Amino acid sequence: MSRYFVSERDQPRMRRAADAVMVVTGLVLLLWTTVNADRILALEEALLALATSVPSWFEQAYRLVYFAGLLIVVALVIAVIAQGRRRLDLLRDIVLALVATLGLALLLAWWIDGELPMAFPEFSSAAVEPHFPVMRGALLTSAIAVSAPHLTRPLRRTGWTLVVLATIAAFGLGFGMPSDAVGGVGLGLVIAGTILLIFGSPRGYPDVASITEALAELGLVVDNLTVTPDQSWGTRRLSGVLDDRREVEVKAYGRDATDSQLMSKA
C-alpha cells in the first residue's frame, strides 16, 4: 500500500495558498448553489436533458459510478489504516473531513428540504427525492481533497475523475439537481481546505528509499544517502557517496516542484 502514498512519516507540514484557494472556491460554489437551491436554472434544465437522454442501460452505469464513490472512500480509509502508525495524521484528517462533511450536509439538507436524504439511494427501487447538497459527492470530494497531498499523482487523478463522474451520476439518477451536486462538491472543498489550513499538508518531498530506487534505475549506485539541512520548496536535497567514493549532491523534485518553478517565474 505504501506505493500509493508519496510523503514520509513525520514529514514537516506547511500551510499552502492552494488550500486557501480551495476553501474560497468551495465557498463560492456552496453559496451560489444554496441561493439557487429552490429554483431550476436554464443551464440545469439543459444538463438534466443531456444526462437523461442517454440509453436506458446508462442508469445502471450511473448507479455503479455513484456506488464506486462510496467504495473509494472506504478503500482509502482501509489503505490508511493498513499503514499503521505511519499515517495516523492522514487518518485523523480523513475522519475529521468525513464527520464534518456528513454533519454539515445533513444540517443543510434538513434546513433547505426539511428532511434527511437516503444513505444509499442507488439501491432504492422507489423514486428518490432530490436533496441539496448531494451527500455522496460531498463526502467523496472531502476525502479525496484532504488526502490529495499524501497520494501519488495517478491516484489523485483517479479520485478527481471519480468525483466528476459521481457528480454527473447524481443528477443523472435524479438524486439532486445539477446545482445540488455541485453544492456537494463545494461543501467537500470547504471542509477539506479548512482542515489542511489548520493542520497543514506534507511538503511533498519524495522519500529516501524512492530516491535511491530511482537512482538505481538510472544506473547510479549512491550510498549513505542522507537529507541535507538546506532544503527548498518542492525539491529535496540529499548528499551521498558514489561507488568510487566521490561525494555527490542529489536533488529530487517532488510534488510541489512545478508550483515552485511557476512562482519563481512569476
Side-chain angles (χ1 to χ4, degrees), residues 135-158:
M135 188 168 60
R136 184 71 56 81
L139 292 172
L140 175 60
T141 301
S142 65
I144 294 299
V146 83
S147 305
H150 302 260
L151 303 176
T152 59
R153 180 176 295 180
L155 200 57
R156 292 200 306 271
R157 288 178 174 173
T158 300

Side-chain angles (χ1 to χ4, degrees), residues 174-196:
F175 299 158
M177 300 299 292
S179 60
D180 300 334
V182 173
V185 173
L187 177 59
L189 292 176
V190 170
I191 297 298
T194 301
I195 290 175
L196 291 177

Side-chain angles (χ1 to χ4, degrees), residues 2 40-41 83 91 105 134-135 153 190 193 210 220 225 230 253:
S2 60
I40 300 178
L41 305 178
Q83 293 290 302
L91 181 62
V134 174
M135 188 168 60
R153 180 176 295 180
V190 170
S210 298
L220 295 171
L225 199 60
D230 181 24
Y253 293 86

Side-chain angles (χ1 to χ4, degrees), residues 20 22 31 44 55 63 73 101 126 141 149 175 177 181 191 197 199 227:
M22 185 191 304
L31 291 175
E44 288 189 295
R63 293 182 183 275
V73 172
T101 302
T141 301
F175 299 158
M177 300 299 292
I191 297 298
L197 284 177
F199 296 106
V227 179

Side-chain angles (χ1 to χ4, degrees), residues 37-231:
D38 58 348
R39 68 182 75 174
I40 300 178
L41 305 178
L43 177 60
E44 288 189 295
E45 292 181 343
L47 290 174
L48 282 173
L50 180 62
T52 56
S53 63
V54 296
S56 58
W57 59 266
F58 235 77
E59 180 179 344
Q60 297 304 318
Y62 281 152
R63 293 182 183 275
L64 179 61
V65 169
Y66 196 76
F67 183 61
L70 176 62
L71 289 182
I72 196 170
V73 172
V74 174
L76 181 59
V77 173
I78 293 175
V80 174
I81 293 175
Q83 293 290 302
R85 297 178 61 86
R86 298 175 57 191
R87 306 290 172 184
L88 287 179
D89 58 338
L90 176 54
L91 181 62
R92 174 204 61 202
D93 293 351
I94 294 176
V95 171
L96 285 176
L98 292 177
V99 171
T101 302
L102 178 62
L104 286 177
L106 292 177
L107 283 175
L108 284 171
W110 183 261
W111 175 45
I112 293 176
D113 298 324
E115 59 181 2
L116 300 179
M118 295 179 60
F120 303 101
E122 65 268 37
F123 297 125
S124 175
S125 57
V128 178
E129 291 294 325
H131 283 280
F132 174 85
V134 174
M135 188 168 60
R136 184 71 56 81
L139 292 172
L140 175 60
T141 301
S142 65
I144 294 299
V146 83
S147 305
H150 302 260
L151 303 176
T152 59
R153 180 176 295 180
L155 200 57
R156 292 200 306 271
R157 288 178 174 173
T158 300
W160 287 118
T161 300
L162 192 54
V163 168
V164 174
L165 294 177
T167 300
I168 297 172
F171 62 79
L173 292 168
F175 299 158
M177 300 299 292
S179 60
D180 300 334
V182 173
V185 173
L187 177 59
L189 292 176
V190 170
I191 297 298
T194 301
I195 290 175
L196 291 177
L197 284 177
I198 292 173
F199 296 106
S201 55
R203 289 181 177 271
Y205 292 146
D207 59 63
V208 176
S210 298
I211 297 172
T212 302
E213 181 179 349
L215 288 170
E217 292 177 357
L218 294 173
L220 295 171
V221 178
V222 182
D223 297 322
N224 300 325
L225 199 60
T226 55
V227 179
T228 62
D230 181 24
Q231 298 294 317

